[in-house]
Amino acid sequence: MDVLGHFNYWVAIALAMVGLYAVTARGHLIKKLIGLSLFQTSVFLLFISIGKVSGGTAPIIAEGFTVYSNPLTHVLILTAIVVSVATLAVGLALTVAIKRTYGTEEDDEIEALDRAEDEQ
Amino acid sequence: MLLVFVLATGIAAVWLRNLLASAMLLGIYSLLMAALWVVLDAVDVAFTEAAVGAGLTTALMLFAIWLTGRQEKPPVRKPWFPLAGALITGGLLIFGTIDMPKFGDPQAPAQVHVAPYYLENAEAQTGVPNVVTSVLASYRGFDTLGEVTVVFTAGMGVVVLLGGLRRRRRTDET
Amino acid sequence: MKDYFVLRVMAKLLIPFILLFGFYVQMHGDYGPGGGFQAGVIIAAALILYAIVFDVGPARRVAPMWMLVALSCIGVLLYASVGVATMMAGGQFLEYGVLAHDPAHGNHLGILIIEIGVGVAVAAAMLMIYFSFAGRR
């Protein structure tokens, strides 16, 4: 098996797992959002790695170049980055709103407060 | 080399308990990612990542942390279960990559499907040399309309979430 | 942060150039890297720099919230109305070829207009998000 040929994919997967770990294991809501954005960028890395052609250049048509990298993946990721910042902003806004309402942003404390409210 | 740096800053951003440092590391991570995109020929993506990831996201993160609190509390339970879950998923995914085409292979399925059509015809059909722009705006115009709507909705959502609270607090005070 | 002389002068020096670069990226997206998304974020970043250095109040006077909401609506509607216009001209939704006599020309024109729509909508939405966070203090 070719290690160098798949190294990009493996780094993308490792980043995705770091993100997954942060989302599942960490209790702080902002930390979860950081993990979510790590996961997102790992997907970007996977796509751009798939689109790369060795010896290619950026997909702007110019004389003297014949090999270009795949423009389709670039388009998909370009829009995905802008959407990712939009989702992150909504998530942060929700976190701020939760902090105002509950006074904490750790998910176990929020759960405890919810349960206490249910019992009343 | 860049990949290793990216991985290191990513792990560090999750590892640290100080959220302020975490947010700064995320900014550095984005900037490194932007450099990586240039290396991988995705200049448009690099541009966006540098402007959005390193600039805007960091500013928003800092504001959110400043509004909530900068320290994460230490964990109450050992995170063995999520760690095992992540490792198993990662192992399965790596097993899946063994069948993937080699990095940079010109004959990979992704390279021979629809991309050559764009590269050959985009300039003649749209008069725009930057293929990324022409695919973004013309061939996938619907898609981009959807993305703009998402951004617009997110902006409205944040305004409603944070602005609505302020109005309620004002009525409480009076 | 407006007490720091160096920051104030540098911000005042830089902001016009950032804005100019934003417009350049917007209009030059067909030939080099760039386009509506990037330009929108860069223009928003210029105003955010102003807001960080000179406080949020003056920045919000430059771009009040109602204007941002209106601008982001205008951006999205500009994009969609190009699609409607192409339908009126006899094509399909967002088929720019019918906008001019030469299909390639029409495509170029359509791309330019919708990129402006994207840029306006993204810049306004980003500023909306930033101001609602910054206005919470």
Side-chain angles (χ1 to χ4, degrees), chain C residues 108-127:
Chain C
H108 203 156
L109 187 67
I111 288 175
L112 213 61
I113 296 174
I114 68 143
E115 288 278 12
I116 291 173
V118 170
V120 170
V122 169
M126 293 299 158
L127 281 175

Side-chain angles (χ1 to χ4, degrees), chain A residues 93 97, chain B residues 155-170, chain C residues 60 65 128 131-133 135-136:
Chain B
M156 288 297 177
V158 170
V159 169
V160 169
L161 269 172
L162 295 179
L165 273 171
R166 187 168 357 138
R167 203 174 312 129
R168 199 182 310 147
R169 200 175 52 184
R170 202 177 297 149
Chain C
R60 289 188 83 148
M65 198 53 110
M128 258 155 66
F131 283 161
S132 11
F133 270 101
R136 298 283 303 154

Side-chain angles (χ1 to χ4, degrees), chain C residues 3-5 37 40 42 47 51 53 60 62 82 87 95 110 112 117:
Chain C
D3 305 331
Y4 296 96
F5 185 68
F37 283 107
I42 290 170
L47 272 166
V53 175
R60 289 188 83 148
V62 173
V82 171
M87 276 166 82
E95 186 192 343
L112 213 61

Side-chain angles (χ1 to χ4, degrees), chain B residues 11-166:
Chain B
I11 291 172
V14 171
W15 194 271
L16 287 175
R17 299 240 160 246
N18 188 337
L19 287 169
L20 211 56
S22 244
M24 297 316 281
L25 270 172
L26 204 65
I28 294 169
Y29 168 83
S30 279
L31 209 56
L32 284 174
M33 269 297 190
L36 190 61
W37 299 149
V38 176
V39 174
L40 293 176
D41 294 344
V43 278
D44 281 89
V45 182
F47 213 147
T48 322
E49 178 83 43
V52 170
L56 213 60
T57 310
T58 317
L60 287 182
M61 275 283 182
L62 291 181
F63 263 105
I65 288 166
W66 179 51
L67 285 171
T68 52
R70 65 168 59 175
Q71 200 67 33
E72 193 181 7
K73 75 170 183 162
V76 278
R77 50 182 187 274
K78 288 282 178 214
W80 295 125
F81 180 65
L83 192 64
L87 282 179
I88 291 170
T89 321
L92 286 174
L93 283 174
I94 284 178
F95 179 65
T97 60
I98 292 174
D99 283 342
M100 277 181 78
K102 224 173 125 235
F103 172 69
D105 184 4
Q107 295 304 317
Q111 255 65 270
V112 295
H113 178 50
V114 71
Y117 174 81
Y118 289 148
L119 286 172
E120 274 165 27
N121 298 320
E123 194 178 13
Q125 284 179 356
T126 62
V128 172
N130 186 350
V131 184
V132 174
T133 304
S134 65
V135 175
L136 179 87
S138 185
Y139 295 107
R140 298 187 68 88
F142 269 138
D143 207 1
T144 311
L145 180 57
E147 314 278 1
V148 176
T149 317
V150 168
V151 172
F152 167 73
T153 316
M156 288 297 177
V158 170
V159 169
V160 169
L161 269 172
L162 295 179
L165 273 171
R166 187 168 357 138

